[in-house]
Amino acid sequence: MTFRIDTIERADGTRGTRDIAGHPGAVAILAIDADDRVLLVRQYRVAVGEALLEIPAGTLDVRDDGSIEDPDLAAPRELEEETGMRAGSWRKIASFYSAPGFTSELVQLYLATDLRPADGERLTPDEDERLQVERVPWHDAVAAAEGGELHDGKTLVALLWLAGLRRE
């Protein structure tokens, strides 16, 4: 991430500043297994001081030349690193800014199905990640989102999208 302070001009002509966190973007994965369960990961988040239950996700890698990783390649990597699973079917379902008031982070949301355990050399979580995978029946996950039990934005977007899809 990069940080900067932008000077802006308001509609009335006065000036102000805005703190901006530049972000390369991220991917998030709504992974649903053959038993119609959503794969969620529980991990401690220092910024909020608690463990959150979230869909698998991760920041796009920035290469040495400054180019940014392709989200279509990052999503399978993140799913495998965080859950140990690979998906046979992928569908991009949404793009959204996580917090456009202060960051440029654009999250690309994918639906992953036809899941199977990673075989061969498996990608593993980053050194500082302590993840606990939980498989939650999709209707229970949606109920938790609708009931205010989940607090992660990308997870809420994904589960409310799923609720709308399943209710059609």
Side-chain angles (χ1 to χ4, degrees):
M1 291 196 329
T2 59
F3 300 94
R4 67 180 194 270
I5 300 173
D6 287 356
T7 300
I8 56 116
E9 186 172 330
R10 298 182 187 100
D12 66 1
T14 60
R15 291 184 158 319
T17 60
R18 295 289 183 269
D19 295 329
I20 306 295
H23 195 286
V27 293
I29 302 99
L30 174 59
I32 302 174
D33 71 13
D35 295 322
D36 233 7
R37 297 175 298 181
V38 176
L39 273 64
L40 299 172
V41 293
R42 187 174 302 278
Q43 64 180 315
Y44 185 80
R45 295 297 195 174
V46 173
V48 297
E50 65 181 281
L52 298 179
L53 195 56
E54 310 172 21
I55 60 173
T59 299
L60 299 176
D61 289 338
V62 179
R63 298 183 189 93
D64 291 337
D65 66 2
S67 63
I68 297 173
E69 181 180 20
D70 181 339
D72 291 346
L73 300 176
R77 175 182 55 77
E78 286 293 341
L79 177 65
E80 185 172 335
E81 284 177 3
E82 295 199 355
T83 69
M85 302 298 286
R86 293 182 181 157
S89 178
W90 287 91
R91 176 178 160 200
K92 185 175 174 183
I93 56 178
S95 296
F96 58 91
Y97 290 104
S98 62
F102 74 91
T103 182
S104 61
E105 180 185 36
L106 180 66
V107 179
Q108 309 288 332
L109 179 60
Y110 293 82
L111 173 64
T113 55
D114 189 23
L115 302 181
R116 66 188 183 289
D119 51 9
E121 294 251 348
R122 182 199 156 203
L123 300 175
T124 57
D126 294 336
E127 285 181 19
D128 62 341
E129 290 181 316
R130 301 292 178 262
L131 307 173
Q132 177 185 350
V133 178
E134 297 184 23
R135 294 174 180 253
V136 179
W138 78 267
H139 49 82
D140 292 345
V142 167
E146 292 175 337
E149 297 171 43
L150 303 177
H151 305 287
D152 173 64
K154 66 188 172 297
T155 303
L156 294 171
V157 169
L159 292 174
L160 296 176
W161 176 87
L162 179 61
L165 181 68
R166 295 287 171 102
R167 290 180 180 143
E168 288 178 1

